[in-house]
Structures are given as structure tokens and as C-alpha cells.
Amino acid sequence: MNRIGQPYQIENTWYYPAENFNYVETGVASWYGPKFHGKKTANGETYDMNMLTAAHRTLPMPSVVRVLNLQNGRSLLLRVNDRGPFARGRIIDVSRRAAQLLGFHRDGTARVRVEIIADESQRLKL
């Protein structure tokens, strides 16, 4: 199910989901796990902390992003299927398994580069 989504507000900040197939951003990633495991994601899927998924504030759902850990050079392709993170200064939340593979599960956060994979994301729209 493809959803761009309507604008929404979290703690006095408005977010405007949109298709942006040129999206590239550098910032801080965090991860989410047991507290959300088994609950519904923003696009209606059931969150599984062991899958390679991510939450982003504005990218279409689903879309595919490459997350590169700038501290160790590890990168992964993740499917965006949820909204977040809502902690200030963070640009993406990844699943627990993604954080493990990217090498920041223990630290909790890492400096990353996030880039949408346009072709794959557009294919998911169909």
C-alpha cells in the first residue's frame, strides 16, 4: 500500500509528506525496537524489529533508502514503512536489526547519510 500521507503535527511541529526522489540528508540516526514490536506502523503494517525497515518523517511509504553509517562505512538498503523519528536532531529511525547491521545498536545513535533509491521507490508505487 503506497501512502504519501497528509500533513501532520507532532508537538507544535508540522510535517509535510511528499514524493522527493532526490532526497539525500546527513544527520543522526537512532533505532527503535521492543517497545514498538508487534504494533502497527504508519502505513498499517505490523512492525517487526528484526526486519530491515525504517521510519522517516516525510518520505512516501513504502520507499527504499540507503543508510550509510559515516562512522564505520557500513550501509544498508531499508524500506520506509513508518513515521518518525520525533526526537529533535534525528533524521531517521531504523529497526533494531538494521542498527545491529549498521553497527550502532549499542551506541543507540550514529551519524549517517540517508539517500532515497529513486528507481526502487518508484517501482514500489505500482
Side-chain angles (χ1 to χ4, degrees):
M1 172 184 193
N2 184 268
R3 283 181 53 180
I4 293 173
Q6 296 298 315
Y8 62 98
Q9 184 179 21
I10 303 287
E11 295 184 7
N12 299 323
T13 301
W14 279 93
Y15 298 97
Y16 299 91
E19 283 188 347
N20 179 358
F21 295 116
N22 296 308
Y23 174 83
V24 179
E25 188 174 6
T26 299
V28 176
S30 52
W31 66 272
Y32 64 129
K35 181 175 165 186
F36 298 94
H37 187 73
K39 295 188 176 173
K40 293 290 183 198
T41 64
N43 77 344
E45 295 177 12
T46 300
Y47 176 66
D48 183 338
M49 66 185 178
N50 300 307
M51 300 300 288
L52 297 179
T53 59
H56 190 275
R57 291 182 194 100
T58 59
L59 289 175
M61 295 180 291
S63 55
V64 177
V65 294
R66 173 174 287 114
V67 178
L68 168 66
N69 183 335
L70 297 171
Q71 296 164 291
N72 64 18
R74 294 183 190 181
S75 73
L76 278 178
L77 294 181
L78 303 175
R79 191 170 51 83
V80 174
N81 70 340
D82 206 357
R83 290 289 178 225
F86 299 110
R88 293 227 183 271
R90 300 197 184 155
I91 63 169
I92 196 164
D93 263 344
V94 303
S95 66
R96 182 188 69 176
R97 183 64 181 141
Q100 290 168 337
L101 293 172
L102 289 166
F104 71 89
H105 175 254
R106 285 192 176 91
D107 294 336
T109 61
R111 188 145 175 79
V112 298
R113 180 171 168 260
V114 179
E115 177 180 7
I116 194 165
I117 307 300
D119 291 348
E120 189 68 23
S121 296
Q122 288 172 325
R123 255 192 302 280
L124 291 175
K125 288 175 57 174
L126 305 176

